[in-house]
Amino acid sequence: MVERPPDAHSRRLLAGARPTGRVDLGYYADVLLQGIKHQEECECFFLIADVQALTTHHERPAGIRAAVRDTLLDCVAAGLDPGCWHFVVQSQLPELAELTVYLQLLVTTGELTQNPTIREEARSLGRGDFDTGLNRVGFGFLGYPVFQTADVLLFSPFPFRDTGNLQVPVGADQLPHIELAREVAARFNSIYSPIFVEPQAQTSEVGRLPRLDGSARIGGSRTNTVYFGELRSEYARKIETMHTDPKRTALEQPGNPHECPCYAYHRVFSSESVLASTFQSCTSAELACDVCKRSLVDLVGSFLGSIEQRRAEYESQPHFVQDALSAGTRRARMLAQRIMAGVREAMNLTYPELAEREE
Ligand code: TRP
């Protein structure tokens, strides 16, 4: 295990993902880069949210198990150090279901129907619109931000200390959920007793990667992002057809990289010197957009190639997946049992006199 500063046990990092397939470049930029940057400062947990994946795929559970494995392998291939991270399978923590039930008491249905991410997801899944009342939004789907609040708060450093800290790297679409978790923590602490820290969302420093097809849809879709493991022919087509600075309509005009989706990708995948020269040659109208896109295709290609190579190395270690998931889940379960004892006590739900007497 990695040596960490002495207070690392009260500083935690929690990342999470729904296992729905291979990781995509947007998730890499939003979450994994933050995780890699801070992994040596804190105790780190990565929640593979297989139960939450069922909120949108409950009738298709078959692919989720393979995606749990893919998520783990993609994350370590991208640079999450398995010596720093505990990988946790959500369904194997029954404490989460219990905590969700308690925390539901502290959230109003209005807060859920007003949650912008839930509204947008319901719309894009074709499940209707809250304003008309004609929605077909499942109860579990509507409530998943509370379940996610439990995911987050379960990892609060416990016992509570003012210096305790829980950072959650997320994309912008997840901010309403982290805000809910903060509010629920504050409500719980003021009604019962201080148990939970207020988690802090950590958003990307490199900026969000724009959708490749120009759409505004939340989350990945086959056309708006590039997935790890994609063939060159697939990602090259998406990158070559992406928009660039909309105001630059001729090669002679200087481009504005700050308004250019292609440059946003360069910021993530180029070295600093290449980035500086791209900026310079774009703003001086020397670099044509299609040339710039082709160099991005190469950059993404070499990035994806290195991911596949590292992934294959992990895959070739016998039992790597099983060992990582079982050790991480075991550690999480131990901490979950500890904090849940505190939660039940705070809520007056302990009955020691009913425990079987051993004599
Ligand atoms: N909702 C997140 C997503 O769709 C996944 C997730 C589940 C998560 N539980 C979490 C993220 C806890 C951060 C913390 O990507």
Side-chain angles (χ1 to χ4, degrees), residues 242-320:
M242 80 190 285
H243 293 292
T244 52
D245 172 10
K247 296 217 183 77
R248 187 182 190 199
T249 50
L251 177 59
E252 308 74 52
Q253 280 175 1
N256 178 358
H258 299 301
E259 295 297 322
C260 178
C262 185
Y263 186 75
Y265 279 80
H266 274 283
R267 287 187 59 191
V268 175
F269 297 103
S270 292
S271 66
E272 272 183 42
S273 59
V274 173
L275 188 67
S277 75
T278 302
F279 190 93
Q280 204 279 327
S281 54
C282 172
T283 49
S284 60
E286 287 157 68
L287 177 64
C289 293
D290 58 339
V291 176
C292 187
K293 287 183 194 174
R294 275 201 296 277
S295 75
L296 179 61
V297 171
D298 289 337
L299 286 166
V300 167
S302 71
F303 172 76
L304 294 180
S306 69
I307 296 280
E308 288 312 286
Q309 197 185 342
R310 278 199 300 271
R311 184 179 151 117
E313 283 161 20
Y314 283 109
E315 259 186 310
S316 70
Q317 293 176 26
H319 313 301
F320 171 77

Side-chain angles (χ1 to χ4, degrees), residues 14-18 27 47 49 52 144 148 151-152 168 170 174:
L14 171 72
R18 293 181 201 188
Y27 189 80
L47 189 76
Q52 196 184 100
Y144 94 70
Q148 186 160 333
D151 291 343
V152 173
V168 190
V170 283
Q174 298 293 306

Side-chain angles (χ1 to χ4, degrees), residues 99-100 102-108 111-112 145-150 153 176-193 195-199:
L99 183 58
T100 301
Y102 302 156
L103 299 183
Q104 281 170 353
L105 304 169
L106 307 179
V107 178
T108 67
E111 283 176 296
L112 297 169
V146 187
F147 189 34
Q148 186 160 333
T149 289
L153 297 186
H177 303 340
I178 306 304
E179 193 49 40
L180 180 71
R182 290 173 63 82
E183 286 182 20
V184 169
R187 286 175 206 167
F188 187 100
N189 293 349
S190 86
I191 300 172
Y192 306 109
S193 56
I195 299 279
F196 300 120
V197 301
E198 291 181 32

Side-chain angles (χ1 to χ4, degrees), residues 13-24:
L13 198 61
L14 171 72
R18 293 181 201 188
T20 48
R22 302 287 308 263
V23 161
D24 79 291

